[in-house]
Amino acid sequence: MDTLTDIAVQKAEQSRLPEVDLDNPGFGKVFTDHMLEMEYKNGEWKQPVIKPYGPIQITPALSTLHYGQSVFEGTKAYYIDGKTVNLFRPEKNYERMANSCERLCIPKIDRETFLEGIRKLVKLDHKWVPEKDGNSLYIRPFACAWDTQVAAKVSDTYRFYIILSPVGSYYDAPVRLITSQNYVRAVEGGFGEAKTAGNYAASFYPARKAQQMGFSQVLWLDAFDHEYVEEVGTMNIFFLIDDVLITPPLGGTILPGVTRDSVLKLARSWDMDVEERKIGMTEVMEAARSGKLQEVFGAGTAAVISPVKEIRHHGELITIHEDGRGPVGQKLYDTIYGIQRGKLEDRFNWTHSIEVA
Ligand SMILES: Cc1ncc(COP(=O)(O)O)c(C=O)c1O
């Protein structure tokens, strides 16, 4: 054991890196040599440890498996050169995780432990950060209930982990969306804004139905009127109508995306007309019919900006982008990805560089 500040490090005896094709890693299938682990018991989080990545021992009574008291995050590390790896706004992921913990009754993790844990782990496994354009190292921090009791109650014990996975691009096909009149992802007063397992579990059945109908994902609408747009599976959504960039407001039912926030800040800095407001499908469909719907794209860590090719709503299909992104989506993608990869000036101080050599 050697110690880097107060995070103990137990190194893997042998790296698995030679077995991995970093140019084609898929998404979330391969994990690096190490992980961070931290225990919560007797009312406090204990010292975190970085140790070799591997199986964890649980019993069938682990409360997380039954009641889903868990939260997670997703951010990425980007290859800059042989000496540097960049993180992108990890403090926003910390804030969101702290809010998710609050909503799920999980004791908050200390900010510095979260951020320093990511930095130390990424530094240790920096050789796993893919160089190839479009690829990166996905960072998955998560916390979950650890009581071994089959009882629907707040757990007394928890575990926090950070695991790392080299990834390629997430959506390679243009996104085709369908709205649903039968299913919703979240309701006001629920926990739609928390990054917690249950939100994703609830979305799988409708998403599978959408896929069976030939669509990539569901475009979620509000739970009351089935009219106002919310978000997509793992992305926030933007519409460019008559040169105005519109996105639904954060009101508790959608995830406050880091990419969403970056898009808004960039667009405002370019003096674009930007509106965070409710947007109904009636307005979207009318804009499409009258030729005013210029662009639609999803924004999320996985793909940065994903153009939406088609939307089907109440049996009517609109086609927005035949291929690729529109000019605004492309400019946003180029700017955000350019900043992430250290190729463009970082005017907003979004990147955190980690010296790895
Ligand atoms: C439901 C949902 N909405 C939006 C997003 C986009 O958030 P971010 O830009 O922080 O990746 C994600 C991805 O984490 C998500 O899972």
Side-chain angles (χ1 to χ4, degrees), residues 37 50 67 69 111 120 152 157 171-172 181 194 199 214 233 242 244-245 267 281 317:
E37 184 183 67
I50 289 176
Y67 304 107
Q69 197 195 351
R111 181 186 159 96
K120 290 240 149 82
T157 56
Y171 299 106
D172 15 42
Q181 295 303 305
N199 281 327
D242 222 3
V244 182
L245 190 63
M281 279 311 293
L317 186 73

Side-chain angles (χ1 to χ4, degrees), residues 130-152:
E131 269 185 64
K132 188 180 158 188
D133 195 41
N135 292 7
S136 53
L137 186 69
Y138 186 75
I139 302 167
R140 166 56 60 90
F142 64 98
C144 56
W146 214 255
D147 280 4
T148 48
Q149 185 183 358
V150 179

Side-chain angles (χ1 to χ4, degrees), residues 9-317:
V9 179
Q10 190 194 327
K11 285 200 179 146
E13 278 174 17
Q14 212 179 351
S15 175
R16 286 176 284 102
L17 188 54
E19 299 155 26
V20 176
D21 177 5
L22 285 185
D23 284 348
N24 302 292
F27 198 98
K29 293 180 178 163
V30 185
F31 298 92
T32 66
D33 290 324
H34 299 90
M35 62 184 183
L36 180 141
E37 184 183 67
M38 184 166 70
E39 256 188 296
Y40 180 94
K41 60 180 183 194
N42 303 328
E44 61 176 16
W45 285 107
K46 308 288 175 194
Q47 280 292 104
V49 190
I50 289 176
K51 58 198 240 184
Y53 179 90
I56 47 181
Q57 212 177 16
I58 59 169
T59 76
L62 189 79
S63 57
T64 295
L65 300 180
H66 303 268
Y67 304 107
Q69 197 195 351
S70 65
V71 298
F72 65 97
E73 268 309 321
T75 181
K76 284 174 168 178
Y78 302 88
Y79 180 90
I80 304 301
D81 54 37
K83 292 183 192 151
T84 318
V85 167
N86 269 4
L87 301 177
F88 186 71
R89 310 188 74 188
E91 69 288 347
K92 295 289 287 176
N93 296 92
Y94 173 75
E95 279 165 28
R96 189 167 64 190
M97 178 125 169
N99 291 336
S100 301
C101 281
E102 169 84 23
R103 183 63 179 81
L104 270 292
C105 295
I106 296 176
K108 250 178 233 175
I109 289 127
D110 163 69
R111 181 186 159 96
E112 208 29 50
T113 305
F114 180 93
L115 295 172
E116 189 59 11
I118 290 178
R119 282 193 290 263
K120 290 240 149 82
L121 193 57
V122 169
K123 186 168 175 150
L124 187 61
D125 282 344
H126 72 271
K127 293 207 170 105
W128 289 77
V129 183
E131 269 185 64
K132 188 180 158 188
D133 195 41
N135 292 7
S136 53
L137 186 69
Y138 186 75
I139 302 167
R140 166 56 60 90
F142 64 98
C144 56
W146 214 255
D147 280 4
T148 48
Q149 185 183 358
V150 179
K153 66 166 194 65
V154 172
S155 186
D156 292 322
T157 56
Y158 297 87
R159 286 278 179 94
F160 172 65
Y161 287 93
I162 307 175
I163 56 175
L164 308 175
S165 173
V167 295
S169 56
Y170 195 68
Y171 299 106
D172 15 42
V175 182
R176 305 179 65 235
L177 301 177
I178 182 167
T179 60
S180 172
Q181 295 303 305
N182 302 321
Y183 301 101
V184 293
R185 175 187 174 275
V187 290
E188 280 173 34
F191 58 22
E193 67 184 339
K195 206 160 167 63
T196 182
N199 281 327
Y200 297 83
S203 72
F204 291 160
Y205 181 77
R208 187 167 66 180
K209 290 204 149 225
Q211 277 150 20
Q212 284 165 349
M213 292 173 72
F215 292 86
S216 345
Q217 299 206 37
V218 177
L219 174 58
W220 299 111
L221 303 181
D222 76 282
F224 295 105
D225 300 311
H226 297 282
E227 159 68 7
Y228 296 100
V229 176
E230 302 240 297
E231 61 180 324
V232 187
T234 56
M235 300 188 289
N236 296 109
I237 187 107
F238 285 82
F239 299 89
L240 186 70
I241 299 178
D242 222 3
D243 289 329
V244 182
L245 190 63
I246 306 164
T247 196
L250 302 178
T253 55
I254 67 172
L255 199 82
V258 178
T259 320
R260 176 189 181 279
D261 186 75
S262 309
V263 165
L264 289 173
K265 289 208 162 66
L266 278 172
R268 288 186 173 124
S269 79
W270 297 333
D271 287 331
M272 284 184 68
D273 285 328
V274 177
E275 294 177 2
E276 285 179 79
R277 64 160 169 89
K278 281 183 152 196
I279 174 162
M281 279 311 293
T282 308
E283 179 182 348
V284 172
M285 300 307 277
E286 268 171 25
R289 286 184 216 113
S290 64
K292 289 186 175 163
L293 182 61
Q294 296 152 289
E295 297 189 29
V296 182
F297 55 83
T301 296
V304 189
I305 302 291
S306 297
V308 174
K309 182 178 166 142
E310 290 169 347
I311 303 177
R312 187 180 160 108
H313 177 65
H314 281 323
E316 185 180 347
L317 186 73

